[in-house]
Amino acid sequence: MLAAVASALLPAPHRVSPSEVGCAHCGTRLAGQSVIDADGRSFCCAGCSTVYAAIQGAGLGAFYTTRDDVGAASPPARPSGRRFSELDDPELARTFETYPDGSVGTELALEGVHCASCVWLVEHLPRVAPGVSDARLDFGRSTAFVRWDPRETSLGAVARALDRLGYTPHWATSHGATTAADKSLLMRLGVAGAIAGNVMLMAFALYSGAGSGMEGGYSTLFRWGSFVLAIPAVVYAAAPFYRAAWASLLMHVPNMDLPIAIGISAGFASGAVNTWRGQGEVYFDTITTLIFLLLVGRWLGQRHQRRASAAADFAVALAPSVARIVEDDATRELCADAVPVGAVVEVRPGERIPVDGRIERGVSSLDKSLLTGESDPVEVQAGDRVYAGTENVSATLRIRVERVGRGTRIGELVQAMERAQRERAPIVRTADRIAGYFVVAVLALSAATVAVWWRFDGTQAVDHAVALLVVTCPCALGMATPLAVNVALARAARRGILMKGGDVLEALARPAHFVFDKSGTLTAGRPELIHWQGSTAAAERASAAERGCDHPLARALQRAFMPANALVASNVERLAGAGVRARVDGRDLLVGNVALLDDSGIPVSDSTRKTIVAHAAAGLTPVLVAEDGLVAAILAFGDALRADAAPSLEKLARLGSSVSVLSGDHALVVERVCRSLPVGAWAGAVSPEQKLAHVERRVSAGERVIMVGDGVNDAAAMSAATVGFAVHGGAETSLLAADAFATRAGVAPVVEAVLGARLTLRAIHRGLAFALAYNAVGVLLAMTGVLSPLVAAVMMPLSSLTVLTSALRSRAFVEDQRPRRKGAVI
């Protein structure tokens, strides 16, 4: 089954027929030069040859037979050849799981896991690596748990063995608590399943004997046998329900585990009394089956929610897990989290920076596309600050470490997302309150059921009360909302729309006022110099002053005027939303708009002002360069409107939202752009403080405001808005301030987020409606005596699975978000 699913999901490489010449390891058709080993076998690359030799040398040639039996194919192997010495750091050893025999274990993330045959090969690792006693591969997560004797081998040696087999390992930083929790839950699940099966066998014998006659001795034996077997299930396997129920009583907040705990306890106690008396019904088969089904539902829910959270935790993968530290002009590899502050790390071309720090030596350019979406490399030199997750492009850098791990800027972004995800959305909190009230109502109804039925038959009273407590377990009610939210967040992340929590999703789902920035948001964000007049030398000095700035106009200026003599700026002062002040080549420089020069007391002639107005009327953005208090150059930049801007804003209007544009660009430029767009209002030459004040005024008036932007000058307004939405290419400050971030270019992802949020809200309402209707029917059937405890135990997890299916079938954040029913209104 697993192999069939893997084969269906993964693209199969080309499989060769016997008449074709294919790689002996992966089967890829050979074209041109190939690697031939001593036995005359041909391989597509040295990597496949190395892996083939390692597999055959360990006596694991059956891997190829297993792979062919499941109908899969190996991709070309790419062993890294690394030493993995960073995995032998003593700091990491403290995180290993220890065992009584002295062995230790940990989890590694593996590259190259592609089919079910990989499970067979990885789990035969003890035959390849001496000292390894166990290896288990989680195919779905591509992670392997390995256990070894540290007196015989090291984790680095284990990693090298996996690498030789074609599975390059990486340190899995988040496995500890999750693995322990999963182990505990699976252990309880296994115990409950084994006991439920055996108790059911005894129950069948009792039921059969009740109809055809059974000797009293056998009946007593089966009753007491069921009782003894049920004790571990009730005491150990069901312990999480008791703990949660007791905690809810201490906090005076009844939760969904309370009726479960009462139902299990009441059923077990009643069965124990009847066993002691030797007459009446015993409920051990129902109780043990209930515990097993409840644990199955909990395991499925936890597994799905963990995958959903992992999909949203995108930023962890941006920073490498290994750093190369410099010690006495020699280097050694170390886990990035274990690098001490103040150390110097070396980053070679093509590698990602693992820490936050300042450049000590070297001049290079950085690719920040994965961190900010900016596609153009940014020049850096000694003294510049650099951040984890950015890629070194052209030359080796040595960086003095300032922050590592979760203390880095990208780490802080991840923590902000995690904190926001832990904060439940208003609709989730509402659902929790409904579930709390429902628990109280269920307990009252179960007490009423016992009171009414006790007059007729005490045994039936207990039966019906247990059935009511079981069937009305508010699991489906409690999980309908958070499950739909988690599914939506995970799907949105896969579509390149990253949100910090369910409250963002809920706010986007309702009509709101959208405030858009212009440059880089509605426009392409890559302006080019269209016209200039004045001193070329002044423009080159202005380019030097703008070096390292992320603003689109600054990058355009650098592309147009790259200083030939590598001018260096000093006393650089960035003026958010206005420009830059610096000293270059012995001259005091001011680069920015006319308002900046006016505020600085620099005279601007009437002819210069007319030129600025003419450029703005033509849709260009004018920038002035002043040297030593005099205007030296006039630059005009043009930025094309995004192709999806107008259609996207039209869709927002149809969805009931209003749109305005606030830009720091020249007012005439903004007006020219906005007249071709379906926007209600616009304003140009708006400072960051004015944007913030505009957003705060609307929010304080009770409006939902969605601020969409990409620059530092948008960050404050994003923080004040109901939702801050950063678009592709945004500066890091805007990413930190934003509640949502689109990794795809254009305005369309904003509309997709709104549509997906509304479909998610529909899925939530559908799940809540089903859960309430199901519980109402269950109450009626249980109180009238139609429902038995066993049938109730089967129905309860089925309701949770139905809610799960409903959430997964939602059209939110799929490629086609249109509703299934033709003509349905979103």
Side-chain angles (χ1 to χ4, degrees):
M1 178 65 181
L2 183 61
V5 172
S7 300
L9 293 178
L10 296 171
H14 172 76
R15 303 306 302 269
V16 298
S17 66
S19 62
E20 295 177 309
V21 179
C23 175
H25 172 70
C26 68
T28 302
R29 182 188 300 175
L30 299 178
Q33 294 183 348
S34 60
V35 178
I36 302 177
D37 67 5
D39 295 325
R41 298 184 186 87
S42 298
F43 300 90
C44 65
C45 61
C48 282
S49 174
T50 301
V51 172
Y52 183 89
I55 292 174
Q56 296 290 357
L60 299 176
F63 161 74
Y64 297 101
T65 303
T66 304
R67 182 193 63 187
D68 294 338
D69 288 343
V70 301
S74 301
R78 297 289 185 266
S80 68
R82 288 172 44 202
R83 297 297 301 165
F84 298 99
S85 55
E86 73 279 1
L87 297 180
D88 294 330
D89 186 80
E91 292 294 324
L92 290 186
R94 299 177 184 175
T95 67
F96 298 161
E97 294 186 33
T98 58
Y99 297 89
D101 61 358
S103 63
V104 294
T106 194
E107 194 173 65
L108 295 171
L110 302 185
E111 291 183 26
V113 174
H114 61 279
C115 73
S117 60
C118 296
V119 178
W120 184 91
L121 185 58
V122 171
E123 294 188 351
H124 279 77
L125 181 65
R127 293 177 57 177
V128 179
V132 176
S133 58
D134 188 25
R136 297 187 302 277
L137 177 66
D138 185 332
F139 179 82
R141 296 171 55 227
S142 295
T143 56
F145 184 84
V146 292
R147 180 175 171 181
W148 72 96
D149 189 338
R151 293 163 294 193
E152 297 183 32
T153 189
S154 67
L155 183 57
V158 174
R160 289 192 291 274
L162 285 166
D163 190 49
R164 287 195 302 273
L165 293 178
Y167 306 104
T168 302
H170 300 278
W171 174 247
T173 58
S174 60
H175 72 277
T178 298
T179 301
D182 285 348
K183 278 185 177 180
S184 176
L185 181 58
L186 285 173
M187 184 71 72
R188 297 179 195 277
L189 182 60
V191 169
I195 290 174
N198 284 282
V199 172
M200 285 296 293
L201 290 176
M202 294 185 184
F204 288 144
L206 284 172
Y207 297 150
S208 300
S212 58
M214 175 183 289
E215 293 184 13
Y218 288 112
S219 177
T220 302
L221 175 64
F222 288 138
R223 283 172 175 268
W224 279 100
S226 300
F227 169 71
V228 172
L229 281 176
I231 291 175
V234 172
V235 174
Y236 169 71
F241 305 114
Y242 304 138
R243 284 197 294 267
W246 179 247
S248 74
L249 290 176
L250 292 178
M251 298 298 294
H252 306 290
V253 182
N255 67 4
M256 61 187 67
D257 290 312
L258 185 57
I260 293 175
I262 294 175
I264 292 173
S265 302
F268 180 74
S270 179
V273 170
N274 289 342
T275 299
W276 181 264
R277 293 170 55 212
Q279 59 182 353
E281 295 291 333
V282 292
Y283 305 99
F284 305 127
D285 53 336
T286 300
I287 296 303
T288 54
T289 304
L290 169 64
I291 294 170
F292 174 67
L293 293 175
L294 287 170
L295 290 173
V296 168
R298 176 164 291 193
W299 182 79
L300 289 173
Q302 285 186 3
R303 185 174 179 85
H304 174 77
Q305 290 180 13
R306 187 170 294 119
R307 286 182 175 180
S309 299
D313 194 11
F314 74 103
V316 173
L318 296 181
S321 59
V322 178
R324 187 183 298 104
I325 67 170
V326 180
E327 296 175 337
D328 299 327
D329 287 333
T331 62
R332 69 182 180 95
E333 291 185 339
L334 191 65
C335 178
D337 290 349
V339 174
V341 173
V344 176
V345 300
E346 183 177 271
V347 183
R348 297 169 184 171
E351 297 179 344
R352 293 197 177 277
I353 295 176
V355 298
D356 285 2
R358 288 190 182 273
I359 298 175
E360 286 256 318
R361 184 193 305 173
V363 177
S364 184
S365 55
L366 298 184
D367 178 0
K368 304 168 74 174
S369 58
L370 281 181
L371 186 61
T372 67
E374 167 53 36
S375 59
D376 293 333
V378 176
E379 298 293 327
V380 292
Q381 58 187 341
D384 288 344
R385 175 167 281 141
V386 292
Y387 300 101
T390 55
E391 182 180 351
N392 183 22
V393 176
S394 55
T396 299
L397 294 174
R398 289 197 172 180
I399 300 167
R400 179 73 62 179
V401 178
E402 294 181 346
R403 295 188 294 181
V404 299
R406 287 190 162 282
T408 62
R409 178 167 291 188
I410 194 67
E412 290 174 350
L413 175 60
V414 172
Q415 291 180 80
M417 293 178 65
E418 290 174 344
R419 284 194 299 269
Q421 287 178 343
R422 286 194 294 268
E423 294 176 1
R424 293 181 162 236
I427 193 168
V428 177
R429 293 194 292 268
T430 300
D432 287 345
R433 285 195 297 270
I434 294 173
Y437 296 143
F438 188 81
V439 166
V440 175
V442 166
L443 294 177
L445 289 171
S446 62
T449 301
V450 171
V452 171
W453 281 93
W454 195 267
R455 300 176 182 178
F456 305 101
D457 188 334
T459 301
Q460 287 190 4
V462 173
D463 273 355
H464 300 333
V466 170
L468 189 148
L469 288 169
V470 171
V471 78
T472 57
C473 167
C475 292
L477 185 64
M479 73 186 296
T481 299
L483 187 59
V485 168
N486 283 333
V487 170
L489 291 177
R491 286 180 175 174
R494 288 193 291 269
R495 293 283 298 161
I497 303 171
L498 305 156
M499 303 183 195
K500 290 183 178 179
D503 54 339
V504 178
L505 204 65
E506 184 176 356
L508 288 172
R510 306 185 187 281
H513 178 75
F514 283 78
V515 178
F516 280 85
D517 176 47
K518 181 187 74 70
S519 300
T521 305
L522 297 175
T523 58
R526 187 182 168 90
E528 298 294 342
L529 183 65
I530 305 300
H531 183 273
W532 69 278
Q533 64 185 78
S535 169
T536 302
E540 289 182 350
R541 284 188 282 269
S543 176
E546 294 283 12
R547 178 181 295 163
C549 180
D550 284 333
H551 194 280
L553 294 183
R555 295 193 295 267
L557 178 58
Q558 293 171 62
R559 288 192 296 270
F561 293 98
M562 184 63 66
N565 55 353
L567 296 172
V568 177
S570 60
N571 301 328
V572 178
E573 181 184 0
R574 310 245 178 244
L575 308 170
V580 63
R581 179 182 285 113
R583 186 167 181 81
V584 182
D585 198 21
R587 298 173 184 266
D588 291 325
L589 216 69
L590 190 62
V591 184
N593 54 31
V594 67
L596 175 62
L597 269 66
D598 288 339
D599 293 341
S600 302
I602 296 176
V604 180
S605 65
D606 291 340
S607 61
T608 299
R609 293 183 187 274
K610 289 179 180 179
T611 302
I612 291 172
V613 172
H615 286 322
L620 303 179
T621 301
V623 173
L624 299 180
V625 180
E627 287 188 334
D628 296 330
L630 297 175
V631 175
I634 305 173
L635 312 173
F637 299 88
D639 191 8
L641 191 67
R642 292 189 184 275
D644 63 350
S648 298
L649 298 187
E650 288 174 358
K651 288 180 181 177
L652 288 177
R654 289 200 301 269
L655 292 171
S657 295
S658 57
V659 178
S660 63
V661 175
L662 297 180
S663 175
D665 211 343
H666 195 283
L668 290 176
V669 176
V670 176
E671 180 180 1
R672 185 176 182 275
V673 169
C674 291
R675 286 198 180 278
S676 62
L677 295 172
V679 299
W682 62 82
V686 180
S687 69
E689 292 78 13
Q690 290 172 326
K691 288 185 180 181
L692 173 61
H694 177 85
V695 170
E696 286 180 335
R697 185 169 60 253
R698 285 184 173 270
V699 171
S700 61
E703 287 189 71
R704 277 184 293 273
V705 179
I706 316 297
M707 177 68 203
V708 185
D710 75 325
V712 175
N713 57 337
D714 302 316
M718 284 184 182
S719 298
T722 311
V723 174
F725 202 118
V727 299
H728 176 81
E732 289 178 27
T733 307
S734 68
L735 298 188
L736 291 171
D739 302 297
F741 167 57
T743 62
R744 291 184 286 124
V747 189
V750 179
V751 180
E752 183 177 345
V754 173
L755 290 172
R758 293 194 176 193
L759 289 170
T760 302
L761 215 58
R762 287 181 55 189
I764 291 172
H765 293 157
R766 184 170 60 243
L768 290 174
F770 168 80
L772 290 171
Y774 157 83
N775 282 294
V777 172
V779 167
L780 180 62
L781 295 177
M783 292 188 73
T784 55
V786 175
L787 206 61
S788 69
L790 181 58
V791 175
V794 175
M795 286 180 60
M796 192 283 299
L798 289 179
S799 69
S800 299
L801 292 176
T802 303
V803 170
L804 171 64
T805 303
S806 175
L808 293 175
R809 281 177 55 83
S810 168
R811 304 292 296 167
F813 298 105
V814 296
E815 290 191 17
D816 179 8
Q817 291 196 119
R818 291 172 298 180
R820 286 190 177 86
R821 287 188 299 109
K822 186 175 181 180
V825 178
I826 295 176

